Amino acid sequence: MAQKSASPLLSISSIGDGDHTMGLISQRLKACTKGTVYSSVFTLLTTCVGAGTLSLPYAFSQGGLVLSSVVFFAVMMVAVLVGFMLFSGKRYCAEVFPEKEVWGYEDLAHAAFGAVGKIAVLTTLFLFLFLCLISYMIYARDQLNLVVQFIISRTGYVPDCSPLVNCALLMAIGFLPIFPITLLRDLTRMQITSTISILCISYVALVATIKTSMAWVDFHKDTNDTIHNAIPPNWRDSVKLGPRHFSGVLTVISYCSLSFICHFNLLPVQKELQNPTKRRLNIIVIASMATAYVLYNIVIFMAYFNFFDDTREDFMLNYSRYDILVTTARAALFFTLLFGYPVLLHPTR
């Protein structure tokens, strides 16, 4: 009888312990999803660095080194200031409208302009990200198409369908594992893909540096190795300090102005950050923009001083399609664009 009477008490206490345990587990899981400075910087870097890396060397070839460098630096500084303003705007909204939670662009617009402002911002943001994702898809297809062609040329296999069709099938297969990641609500859970993306784009910058160095070594040796993209004998005449036409100014401004856009993820990053103090947030903004600026400049100047006026809008197309090193860089660039999709899609959720 004593044992029977004790069993209900035992079960009740077990249930209580179970609830307490589940509460602890929930808190642990919540703590694990909190972002760090490292993960926040890599998330913003993945948002910034992507398709723009391919087209900036072309913009510099059109606008000239001096004007392009000034515009590019000015855009980077404006991007940093806009990041500071977003955090200040959120703090202001918290003071004026304490009942409103601000976690994104649309919440700031709603607090400032009401429902009309929120709808306008959401519509603009959706259209902008939709066009960005289309450009990512096009660039990813181009890189993968060249990788597939290289593999086919090495195997000697003649496919029944064109490499472009094979590329489309591979892209469909490649994007399937990314789809579940796009459904994640926390940016912190994407830090692994963000890290891989930044490592891949860093490898692209390294390959561009190696190829340009090899081209200049061949130039000084008076050899003409086409796979290293020989430097023209009159390369000094090809260096432009300023634009030759007004269209070059417009090209530089339009390309550079899109290079540091990651601000739609700033407030979600702040939401997930552990101890989101003003100092930590400022460090994240400055570190993200400065790192992106350095990566961009490495690629820009390495590509420009290899191809000069012949730089194409996708500078990777200037390289030989049969170069093994460049092919690995194209594969890395494909993964950079692939892993950038979840971060770009996050604001549209």
Side-chain angles (χ1 to χ4, degrees):
M1 293 296 293
Q3 292 180 350
K4 290 183 179 179
S5 62
S7 60
L9 294 175
L10 181 61
S11 62
I12 292 174
S13 63
S14 299
I15 293 173
D17 291 341
D19 293 339
H20 179 65
T21 303
M22 291 301 295
L24 290 176
I25 294 175
S26 178
Q27 292 177 2
R28 293 279 181 87
L29 290 174
K30 188 175 181 180
C32 291
T33 60
K34 284 292 185 179
T36 62
V37 173
Y38 164 83
S39 64
S40 301
V41 169
F42 270 61
T43 297
L44 296 179
L45 268 177
T46 304
T47 311
C48 287
V49 181
T53 311
L54 297 170
S55 54
L56 281 173
Y58 170 77
F60 271 61
S61 70
Q62 297 299 307
L65 291 179
V66 176
L67 175 66
S68 301
S69 298
V70 171
V71 172
F72 196 54
F73 181 78
V75 170
M76 188 268 291
M77 294 301 299
V78 170
V80 172
L81 293 176
V82 170
F84 294 162
M85 291 173 62
L86 276 176
F87 293 138
S88 299
K90 180 180 177 179
R91 286 193 295 268
Y92 177 78
C93 287
E95 295 173 359
V96 179
F97 307 104
E99 71 281 358
K100 290 184 178 295
E101 293 186 356
V102 178
W103 300 121
Y105 267 168
E106 65 278 7
D107 298 324
L108 278 176
H110 187 265
F113 305 105
V116 176
K118 182 176 182 178
I119 294 174
V121 168
L122 283 174
T123 303
T124 304
L125 185 61
F126 177 81
L127 291 176
F128 171 76
L129 293 177
F130 178 72
L131 294 176
C132 285
L133 291 172
I134 290 178
S135 67
Y136 268 53
M137 182 72 74
I138 294 173
Y139 279 120
R141 181 206 63 189
D142 292 341
Q143 304 308 317
L144 189 58
N145 186 30
L146 291 173
V147 172
V148 171
Q149 289 185 20
F150 175 82
I151 295 174
I152 291 175
S153 66
R154 283 302 179 110
T155 58
Y157 168 70
V158 180
D160 296 332
C161 53
S162 67
L164 190 60
V165 175
N166 290 337
C167 173
L169 294 175
L170 288 175
M171 283 191 65
I173 297 173
F175 273 83
L176 283 178
I178 296 299
F179 178 73
I181 302 176
T182 62
L183 302 179
L184 297 176
R185 292 188 175 274
D186 297 328
L187 286 170
T188 308
R189 297 180 183 272
M190 304 179 190
Q191 59 182 325
I192 296 178
T193 56
S194 298
T195 302
I196 296 174
S197 178
I198 298 305
L199 290 177
C200 288
I201 199 66
S202 300
Y203 178 73
V204 173
L206 176 63
V207 170
T209 303
I210 294 174
K211 295 299 295 182
T212 301
S213 301
M214 295 172 71
W216 280 97
V217 168
D218 291 339
F219 173 77
H220 288 293
K221 288 182 178 180
D222 294 329
T223 59
N224 188 16
D225 190 351
T226 57
I227 200 169
H228 294 159
N229 301 92
I231 305 298
N234 58 340
W235 65 269
R236 289 183 178 85
D237 297 333
S238 301
V239 177
K240 292 190 300 184
L241 300 181
R244 296 175 182 173
H245 305 284
F246 182 70
S247 59
V249 179
L250 299 179
T251 300
V252 169
I253 294 175
S254 60
Y255 279 80
C256 292
S257 61
L258 300 175
S259 301
F260 296 95
I261 294 182
C262 62
H263 302 83
F264 45 80
N265 278 333
L266 277 178
L267 296 181
V269 162
Q270 181 188 15
K271 176 184 176 182
E272 300 176 18
L273 180 65
Q274 297 178 11
N275 189 22
T277 61
K278 182 179 180 180
R279 179 176 177 274
R280 287 167 65 86
L281 293 171
N282 290 345
I283 290 174
I284 289 172
V285 172
I286 294 173
S288 302
M289 301 304 173
T291 307
Y293 182 77
V294 171
L295 278 174
Y296 277 139
N297 274 285
I298 292 174
V299 174
I300 288 169
F301 284 96
M302 290 301 105
Y304 179 80
F305 282 103
N306 197 347
F307 310 119
F308 299 98
D309 288 339
D310 295 329
T311 306
R312 302 174 66 173
E313 288 193 54
D314 177 358
F315 82 93
M316 293 295 289
L317 298 178
N318 283 97
Y319 295 112
S320 170
R321 65 180 60 189
Y322 303 111
D323 191 323
I324 298 178
L325 186 61
V326 173
T327 301
T328 59
R330 290 189 177 111
L333 190 54
F334 170 76
F335 285 110
T336 297
L337 300 172
L338 184 68
F339 291 134
Y341 253 74
V343 179
L344 286 176
L345 276 174
H346 186 267
T348 64
R349 294 179 51 79

